[in-house]
Amino acid sequence: MKHFDAQNKGESLSIKISNDAHEHAHNLRDWHQHYDQISSGEFYGKIIERSLEDLQIFQEHTSQSLSQDCLVREDSLWLGIAPNHPLSFQGSKINGLGLNTHDIMCRPGGIEFELSTPNNFDIYGVVVTQEKLLSHAEKQGAEIHWQEILQNERLAIPTDTLNGINYLLARLLEPKQSNTNLTPDYLTQDLILMGLLDVLNKETPNQKYHSSYRHRKNIVNLAREYLHQHSSRAITLSELSEACHTSTRTLQNSFESILGLSPIQYLRYTRLNGVRRDLKVSAGKHSVGDVAARWGFWHLSQFAKDYKGVFGELPSDTLQARLSFKD
């Protein structure tokens, strides 16, 4: 499995490329993340990251649909911004909520959130310490609607503001621009902070969601916890519905609304990803059959076919690649 990591000496820009979703999730500094691939095909992920004092900016590309559990460091604020094309966030969700064309995503540090992202997904990310942001706002006489920001996953901003922050981030994350070393880090930080203040001064909470959203989200959370607790055995849809105290139809609709997957699809993808992670760390101590059985796969020929369909290689290839890497 290919993995590429490059950083120019004396510069704060790094580029990391991986062909495995789980590895890719760990390529972003100071984040705790778990990625499951939920579409079929070989994965390609790329992160361009620039780190400054109290500030981190990055651009992320992922080729396959993902279910992401994300947690950024305490006492910080993360903004997720769509690159400058109208379909950037189409099909993506944060905590089960869909995004409109002019929405950005926003989450405080220390609070886990979920992303569902489609194939060929691109995003800019900005992480800033709350102390730094508030200090800069005070110096500029700017007002930040802090509670509004913390309570809403989606913020709508005007087109010109979105275009402005896009232009700034694109320039700062361009490797050729970094190589020229024309902008000192302290000026770069000031530019980003000014851009963030412009965004946060003009944001409007996007609070539009169906009245049944909370109920559907709770059903999905209950189902996922039950599936996690019984990961080694087959689970029927009726059993899962009973465990969640709901009908199979409501369970089905809740999963498709919140995650964009049926319960059966979610179970299949999460277990296949679990097998893949275990194979990559097994170091030859366990056979493919042992690992597959641990995740509830007993028909090995069908399992191998499904695994290859999702990841583009047989489970034995994954295990062998890990052993070859160790050697």
Side-chain angles (χ1 to χ4, degrees):
M1 196 55 56
K2 299 176 183 177
H3 178 77
F4 172 76
D5 183 350
Q7 182 164 356
N8 296 321
K9 292 183 178 180
E11 296 186 2
S12 58
L13 193 78
S14 69
I15 301 172
K16 295 184 179 180
I17 294 173
S18 180
N19 294 104
D20 180 83
H22 179 64
E23 290 177 359
H24 177 79
H26 294 84
N27 280 345
L28 198 56
R29 185 179 62 85
D30 292 336
W31 284 71
H32 297 282
Q33 299 191 111
H34 174 94
Y35 286 8
D36 278 341
Q37 181 177 326
I38 55 174
S39 63
S40 298
E42 293 186 26
F43 177 83
Y44 173 84
K46 180 178 181 180
I47 291 175
I48 304 174
E49 178 185 352
R50 190 166 188 175
S51 298
L52 305 163
E53 185 180 0
D54 299 321
L55 190 63
Q56 173 192 41
I57 61 174
F58 62 88
Q59 181 177 10
E60 180 178 16
H61 170 80
T62 48
S63 64
Q64 298 296 332
S65 298
L66 297 175
S67 174
Q68 307 179 20
D69 294 322
C70 309
L71 181 69
V72 69
R73 63 180 184 265
E74 293 272 4
D75 302 321
S76 65
L77 181 73
W78 166 75
L79 296 180
I81 301 165
N84 241 347
H85 48 88
L87 301 181
S88 294
F89 277 177
Q90 188 176 52
S92 59
K93 295 184 178 184
I94 178 168
N95 290 339
L97 296 167
L99 292 124
N100 295 326
T101 303
H102 294 97
D103 285 347
I104 63 173
M105 294 184 274
C106 182
R107 285 288 78 202
I111 299 177
E112 190 170 6
F113 62 92
E114 301 172 3
L115 294 180
S116 300
T117 59
N119 289 354
N120 296 313
F121 179 72
D122 292 283
I123 188 171
Y124 287 127
V126 182
V127 180
V128 60
T129 62
Q130 294 182 22
E131 181 182 4
K132 189 71 174 180
L133 183 62
L134 291 172
S135 172
H136 201 77
E138 184 178 354
K139 291 178 183 177
Q140 300 298 324
E143 182 182 0
I144 297 179
H145 309 289
W146 200 251
Q147 287 304 313
E148 196 172 84
I149 291 168
L150 297 183
Q151 293 171 6
N152 294 276
E153 293 95 339
R154 305 166 299 171
L155 305 173
I157 60 174
T159 301
D160 58 345
T161 306
L162 182 61
N163 291 342
I165 193 68
N166 256 278
Y167 177 78
L168 175 61
L169 293 173
R171 281 184 59 82
L172 294 176
L173 290 168
E174 170 58 49
K176 293 180 181 179
Q177 174 72 10
S178 176
N179 288 338
T180 63
N181 201 28
L182 294 177
T183 309
D185 280 355
Y186 74 92
L187 290 180
T188 298
Q189 183 166 270
D190 281 350
L191 284 170
I192 298 169
L193 287 169
M194 290 299 293
L196 288 182
L197 289 181
D198 188 40
V199 168
L200 296 176
N201 274 320
K202 296 178 180 177
E203 57 81 14
T204 303
N206 177 356
Q207 297 176 316
K208 296 179 181 178
Y209 54 84
H210 197 277
S211 59
S212 65
Y213 162 75
R214 298 295 178 193
H215 178 61
R216 289 181 277 114
K217 186 70 165 63
N218 287 336
I219 289 174
V220 170
N221 290 344
L222 281 173
R224 293 172 73 178
E225 181 62 27
Y226 188 82
L227 292 172
H228 176 72
Q229 293 173 354
H230 302 84
S231 60
S232 63
R233 67 176 181 84
I235 303 290
T236 65
L237 197 58
S238 58
E239 177 187 347
L240 190 57
S241 300
E242 186 176 342
C244 296
H245 310 289
T246 191
S247 68
T248 55
R249 182 173 182 177
T250 299
L251 180 70
Q252 185 92 10
N253 291 339
S254 297
F255 264 80
E256 290 179 351
S257 172
I258 298 298
L259 298 179
L261 298 169
S262 70
I264 298 303
Q265 287 175 316
Y266 174 81
L267 177 62
R268 173 175 172 266
Y269 278 120
T270 53
R271 289 188 172 181
L272 286 171
N273 278 271
V275 171
R276 185 171 180 80
R277 287 191 298 272
D278 283 357
L279 288 175
K280 292 177 77 69
V281 300
S282 69
K285 296 178 181 178
H286 304 284
S287 68
V288 169
D290 290 338
V291 176
R294 189 188 305 153
W295 284 94
F297 295 105
W298 300 99
H299 301 286
L300 292 185
S301 59
Q302 184 61 49
F303 157 72
K305 181 179 179 180
D306 290 345
Y307 186 99
K308 184 174 182 180
V310 173
F311 301 116
E313 65 180 17
L314 291 170
S316 56
D317 295 332
T318 303
L319 182 60
Q320 186 57 46
R322 176 60 182 171
L323 293 176
S324 300
F325 177 79
K326 284 181 65 66
D327 293 340

